[in-house]
Amino acid sequence: MHARTSSLRELALLFLRLGTTAFGGPAAHVAMMEDEVVRRRGWLTREAFLDYLGATNLIPGPNSTELAIHVGHARAGWPGLLVAGACFILPAALLVGAIAWAYVRFGALPAAVGVLRGVKPVVIAVVLQALFTLGHTAVKSRVLAAIGVGAVVASALGVHELLVLAAAGACAVLAHARHGVGSAVAFWKSPLVWSVGPAAAAPLGLAPLFAVFLKVGAVLFGSGYVLLAFLRADLVERLHWLTERQLLDAIAVGQVTPGPVFTTATFVGYVLAGAPGAAVATLGIFLPAFVFVALSGPLVPRIRRSVVAGAALDGVNVGSLALMAVVTWQLARSALVDVPTVIVAIVSAIALLRFRVNSAWLVLAGAAVGLATYALRGA
């Protein structure tokens, strides 16, 4: 009992610290966790750590958060699962909630508008960088490239993002079985893919807000940046709860703060319904991660050996990148509005791709440029 209590305390302290300092997105989070739990503490072997990392790619949800949950379960069982995940999420959620309060209270002030004007182009560059690097890994063949193109076209034409992901996974399985692209092309032409219309708008309330973020947390594969596509489709286009500007502001806050990118949900929830909205949105988007890790852990060896499951995952990953590409184009039109914002985006992209500068520093630099530009125009 004493050993279990000690392990829980160690887990809590470690993941509270990581949740407070882990800037740079999921890849950086994974690197920091590996350093702490494999190299420094020896809680896991490198092979076991890689097994858990691979498992997070087979289930929906935020990969780095799910990795933290896996580590907690391996270290201290079911209590460890809850402690590690909650402690990794909590610092970021509290910080984002505080920023959301300031945004609601002061966001209409010109200086705040200037800061966000400089941050938004950096967000576009960060997502483009993620697309570039993830694309090298995801597009493994011409078949997957064709599926990706089909997913881009479907998303641009307004097909529901969940159906795009499901169709991409199905196409990859069919193409693998038939060793060709023809089945993928045929599937995209199927009436099933094009027959689903937009969902009816729902009145804003805590229950509908929880349901939206629970759905996102339960079905979102790929990088956390795919969150843009889901939130834009649900909250901007279908439900009209957010504006394009508010969505970009929410994503920007998720970039500049440490911890999971999914705490963007905390910001959105606060903007829409205050502190209760922040709480239910955060709970909704992260709850599926705990459930999926708990259910999938024992099945990981079988899933990884399954050729069909691997092919489906390849297709889903390509579909996720397609959604990212389309929503990035749409959001860029509202972020790149003049020469300074275009320059900020280009410089940020170069810094990310060529020099691998931490995205958090670039977001802060973009905020400084936006504030300086505002001051010069006001002078």
Side-chain angles (χ1 to χ4, degrees):
M1 184 67 179
H2 175 73
R4 173 61 60 85
T5 302
S6 176
S7 295
L8 289 175
R9 183 165 53 249
E10 290 174 338
L11 280 170
L13 292 174
L14 172 61
F15 283 102
L16 280 171
R17 177 163 61 82
L18 287 176
T20 305
T21 61
F23 287 92
H29 302 168
V30 170
M32 294 174 71
M33 288 184 203
E34 192 273 339
D35 182 59
E36 293 287 352
V37 305
V38 177
R39 297 182 187 179
R40 296 179 183 274
R41 289 170 171 78
W43 289 352
L44 295 174
T45 65
R46 184 164 282 103
E47 291 75 17
F49 184 86
L50 288 173
D51 283 345
Y52 288 129
L53 179 59
T56 65
N57 291 313
L58 298 175
I59 56 178
N63 288 0
S64 59
T65 303
E66 290 170 341
L67 183 58
I69 297 170
H70 271 300
V71 170
H73 184 255
R75 179 66 177 167
W78 295 105
L81 177 148
L82 296 173
V83 167
C87 287
F88 186 60
I89 295 165
L90 184 61
L94 291 175
L95 180 57
V96 170
I99 294 174
W101 172 85
Y103 176 85
V104 171
R105 179 71 176 81
F106 305 110
L109 296 179
V113 172
V115 169
L116 293 171
R117 185 183 181 89
V119 167
K120 292 173 187 177
V122 179
V123 173
I124 299 300
V126 169
V127 180
L128 286 174
Q129 182 260 352
L131 275 171
F132 181 81
T133 55
L134 292 173
H136 276 289
T137 302
V139 184
K140 303 174 182 178
S141 65
R142 293 181 180 179
V143 171
L144 288 174
I147 292 171
V149 171
V152 167
V153 172
S155 179
L157 292 175
V159 178
H160 193 287
E161 65 278 1
L162 297 184
L163 194 52
V164 171
L165 293 180
C171 285
V173 172
L174 290 173
H176 176 80
R178 302 184 185 185
H179 303 287
V181 185
S183 58
V185 174
F187 196 91
W188 283 114
K189 292 181 179 180
S190 167
L192 173 65
V193 175
W194 304 98
S195 62
V196 176
L204 176 60
L206 293 182
L209 187 64
F210 176 79
V212 166
F213 282 102
L214 183 69
K215 181 197 74 172
V216 171
V219 301
L220 196 155
F221 276 89
S223 165
Y225 300 116
V226 184
L227 190 63
L228 275 78
F230 279 73
L231 294 187
R232 186 179 187 277
D234 276 333
L235 301 180
V236 177
E237 293 187 336
R238 284 196 281 273
L239 300 174
H240 305 292
W241 289 351
L242 285 181
T243 64
E244 295 270 11
R245 181 182 71 83
Q246 288 173 322
L247 177 60
L248 272 175
D249 293 345
I251 298 298
V253 170
Q255 285 297 313
V256 77
T257 51
V261 176
F262 275 37
T263 50
T264 297
T266 309
F267 184 93
V268 172
Y270 191 96
V271 169
L272 293 177
V280 301
T282 305
L283 177 64
I285 201 167
F286 284 108
L287 181 60
F290 289 88
V291 175
F292 286 136
V293 169
L295 294 177
S296 67
L299 302 176
V300 168
R302 293 185 199 173
I303 295 173
R304 294 188 65 193
R305 289 194 297 266
S306 170
V307 176
V308 173
L313 181 63
D314 286 341
V316 168
N317 286 340
V318 170
S320 297
L321 293 181
L323 292 178
M324 288 173 63
V326 173
V327 78
T328 301
W329 166 252
Q330 293 165 337
L331 292 176
R333 291 184 297 174
S334 63
L336 308 181
V337 294
D338 54 21
V339 173
T341 54
V342 172
I343 291 175
V344 169
I346 293 173
V347 171
S348 298
I350 294 172
L352 286 165
L353 293 170
R354 179 66 179 86
F355 301 104
R356 301 190 179 186
V357 177
N358 190 305
S359 61
W361 292 115
L362 288 175
V363 170
L364 292 174
V369 169
L371 189 60
T373 302
Y374 160 76
L376 288 174
R377 288 177 176 174

